[in-house]
Amino acid sequence: MSDPALFSHADWQARAAALTFRNLCLIDGAFVPAASGKRFASVNPATGQVLTEVAHGGAEDIDRAVRSARNAFDDGRWSRQTPGQRKEVMLRLAALIRANIPELALLDSLDMGKPVKDAATVDAPGSAHFFQWHAEAIDKIYDEIAPTGGRDLAMIRRVPLGVIGAVVPWNFPLDMATWKLAPALAMGNSVVLKPAEQSPLSALRLGELALEAGLPPGVLNVVPGFGEDAGRALGRHPDVDCLVFTGSTAVGKLFQRYAGESNMKQVWLETGGKSPNLIFPDADLDKAADMAAFGIFFNQGEVCSANSRLLVHESIAEEMIDRMATRAAAAQPGDPLDPASRMGSMVDHRHADQVMNFIASGRAQARLVCGGERVTLNGSDAFIQPTIFADTAPDARIVREEIFGPVLSIQTFKDEDQAVTMANDTVYGLAASVWTRDISRALSLADRLNAGTVSVNTVDALSAMTPFGGMKQSGFGRDLSLHSFDKYSALKTVWIKY
């Protein structure tokens, strides 16, 4: 395969024109229409054009998918395979993802407007890596023997839960599906995956690749649909053992309610964020500015852990504002299929409206440094300039609420105590960053910041080896790392007297 990082604008356009879309529900190993026969449009937000009509899954389709997953789990076609056998299938799936990176990258780019170069060099390769990493971990996780003594043998075994319902967002469609699927499948569970209605295409293709890799039919089912029908049906289904979700805090609360209304299924949530980025005078200010721009403008700011609050020591405030304005000017939106584009479009016109509403609020409550305008490209006005506000008050809406767009608010602090107070003054607790050369300060602040990940002299540090998740209303439970297996398994004690 040619290196996608070297593809030209024309190369990507030609590949996009030749794409074939999988647009039906994947249930029990076969693509089938929705039981209702309904479809919905999958729209390219960067052009406003319809890509394809996708099966509109509903409660009946979720029920079919759950029954298929339950049958697959109960008959042991996957759950009772050895760890080594599951590992081989998942390694083949990782290889197939790598072999199809251009196609998978295009599906996500066309579906949600992100730069295809980012999808081809970060998202799709990352998905292959995460499948491989979890596959390699399967036969490295050991059960335990309790030190009971005497004529007793107490075995503590880690066993799969059964049927997992997974609901994933539109901002990283392939990656977020992988974060849920890899550990769930590795443990031997069956899964019903509901991708976001804005971005179902890569999930459906991933399901097809999983079958090609040797995953038995019924072990992975993919039902595209909307939250109010397919999502709610999955959350309330009495035969789903565990529901995992990445998305908004408001919808996460709905899934907690659905679980209580049905079978008290486990619910694991990774929800919103309003991540602070603290910069001290002794930091490398150029590098801090580079990464601060990445932390808010990458993926158009549509990142749950986006560093959307820049807290700067008052002695370097104007210097950092100038640096950030320069970097924003270099990150203007462009055609997502052009490898030179630093930013793409918002996921859809409605979300662009919401972001512009936040910008209007910011204009009334803070000083606009740069950006703030909507941009029309290729007939679509879903593009928004990278936007920076300064002199923002602590109670400003753009400081308090998750925007999920390329909008940065800059505040100043006098000392460490004030910086920590400002950073923690939020209902969220997903991520935080600190920039300083003082190791004592870095370690002290890492202890005091209420966040699931604290990155020092970088932003959004991430690895398959470390857990990702939040505190407070950013949710609970962790994706990635060996800890990700915890929510897809149960501990069973087997006690033998002899």
Side-chain angles (χ1 to χ4, degrees):
M1 182 189 73
S2 302
D3 183 357
L6 302 178
F7 288 177
S8 68
H9 192 182
D11 291 333
W12 285 117
Q13 289 175 316
R15 286 176 176 271
L19 272 181
T20 299
F21 301 112
R22 282 72 178 169
N23 55 10
L24 301 177
C25 301
L26 180 60
I27 299 176
D28 206 27
F31 282 110
V32 295
S36 66
K38 293 181 180 178
R39 292 173 174 262
F40 66 91
S42 179
V43 177
N44 180 349
T47 64
Q49 296 176 346
V50 174
L51 297 167
T52 185
E53 296 284 333
V54 180
H56 186 150
E60 186 175 347
D61 305 292
I62 290 293
D63 187 58
R64 285 192 297 166
V66 171
R67 279 189 279 115
S68 171
R70 175 61 61 192
N71 290 338
F73 181 79
D74 288 347
D75 70 18
R77 69 185 73 163
W78 180 249
S79 58
R80 289 199 287 272
Q81 286 193 19
T82 67
Q85 289 170 323
R86 294 199 300 272
K87 173 181 175 178
E88 289 304 315
V89 172
M90 291 182 62
L91 288 176
R92 286 198 294 271
L93 177 53
L96 284 170
I97 292 172
R98 288 192 178 96
N100 290 275
I101 281 175
E103 177 188 8
L104 292 166
L106 271 171
L107 291 175
D108 278 0
S109 176
L110 295 174
D111 236 359
M112 58 80 55
K114 70 167 60 203
V116 72
K117 186 174 182 179
D118 290 346
T121 59
V122 179
D123 299 5
S127 292
H129 170 68
F130 292 135
F131 264 108
Q132 179 173 339
W133 191 90
H134 287 87
E136 294 284 4
I138 296 174
D139 53 7
K140 314 298 188 301
I141 299 175
Y142 292 84
D143 292 337
E144 303 169 22
I145 302 293
T148 53
R151 298 180 65 82
D152 293 286
L153 176 63
M155 298 178 287
I156 304 168
R157 300 179 56 206
R158 187 182 290 274
V159 298
L161 291 174
V163 177
I164 308 296
V167 180
V168 296
W170 46 258
N171 58 334
F172 293 97
L174 182 65
D175 254 2
M176 292 298 98
T178 297
W179 285 23
K180 309 303 186 190
L181 293 178
L185 294 174
M187 281 306 308
N189 297 286
S190 296
V191 183
V192 177
L193 172 66
K194 193 205 87 67
E197 60 267 25
Q198 297 92 336
S199 57
L201 300 179
S202 64
L204 291 165
R205 179 63 173 132
L206 179 62
E208 186 178 46
L209 291 176
L211 291 169
E212 185 179 340
L215 194 71
V219 174
L220 172 58
N221 304 272
V222 184
V223 181
F226 288 73
E228 57 266 28
D229 41 38
R232 180 168 55 188
L234 192 59
R236 286 180 171 168
H237 201 288
D239 207 22
V240 171
D241 299 294
C242 174
L243 192 290
V244 292
F245 169 76
T246 294
S248 73
T249 297
V251 175
K253 292 177 180 179
L254 287 178
F255 280 112
Q256 290 182 304
R257 183 189 306 169
Y258 297 154
E261 292 169 348
S262 54
N263 62 337
M264 290 179 61
K265 60 177 65 64
Q266 296 182 41
V267 178
W268 298 100
L269 306 174
E270 191 267 280
T271 49
K274 195 69 182 174
S275 300
N277 188 359
L278 286 61
I279 302 183
F280 289 84
D282 64 332
D284 180 334
L285 298 187
D286 277 327
K287 186 174 181 181
D290 287 342
M291 293 305 293
F294 172 83
I296 185 58
F297 301 139
F298 175 68
N299 209 52
Q300 305 74 245
E302 296 168 323
V303 181
C304 54
S305 55
N307 286 224
S308 56
R309 294 186 294 144
L310 190 64
L311 309 183
V312 182
H313 190 271
E314 60 185 11
S315 67
I316 56 169
E318 290 305 318
E319 188 177 356
M320 281 303 300
I321 289 171
D322 290 343
R323 280 180 162 88
M324 294 306 300
T326 298
R327 284 153 178 81
Q332 298 301 309
D335 183 346
L337 297 186
D338 184 350
S341 296
R342 294 277 300 277
M343 291 200 332
S345 73
M346 297 291 99
V347 71
D348 56 27
H349 184 89
R350 183 177 66 174
H351 184 59
D353 288 344
Q354 293 171 345
V355 174
M356 290 304 299
N357 183 268
F358 275 107
I359 290 174
S361 174
R363 287 177 183 271
Q365 295 182 298
R367 170 166 62 98
L368 178 66
V369 174
C370 61
E373 300 296 334
R374 206 161 182 158
V375 178
T376 298
L377 295 171
N378 301 325
S380 169
D381 68 348
F383 298 83
I384 294 176
Q385 292 178 332
T387 300
I388 298 175
F389 288 99
D391 305 331
T392 49
D395 60 349
R397 186 173 171 230
I398 58 172
V399 172
R400 309 302 301 176
E401 299 180 34
E402 184 178 39
I403 299 174
F404 227 63
V407 182
L408 178 69
S409 63
I410 301 179
Q411 298 171 275
T412 61
F413 61 84
K414 296 178 184 296
D415 53 33
E416 290 182 28
D417 288 341
Q418 186 184 24
V420 169
T421 298
M422 293 170 66
N424 288 339
D425 184 20
T426 174
V427 299
Y428 300 110
L430 188 54
S433 296
V434 176
W435 290 84
T436 180
R437 290 186 171 96
D438 185 332
I439 187 63
S440 295
R441 172 188 285 154
L443 291 172
S444 173
L445 291 175
D447 286 341
R448 298 173 68 189
L449 292 170
N450 296 329
T453 298
V454 178
S455 303
V456 177
N457 295 330
T458 187
V459 300
D460 250 357
L462 183 74
S463 166
M465 297 178 287
T466 55
F468 180 89
M471 300 175 180
K472 300 192 284 189
Q473 291 191 48
S474 289
F476 44 85
R478 296 294 184 263
D479 289 315
L480 306 179
S481 83
L482 293 178
H483 295 284
S484 67
F485 291 104
D486 294 343
K487 62 180 181 281
Y488 299 108
S489 59
L491 296 179
K492 176 185 286 189
T493 298
V494 179
W495 194 302
I496 301 172
K497 283 192 162 295
Y498 63 93

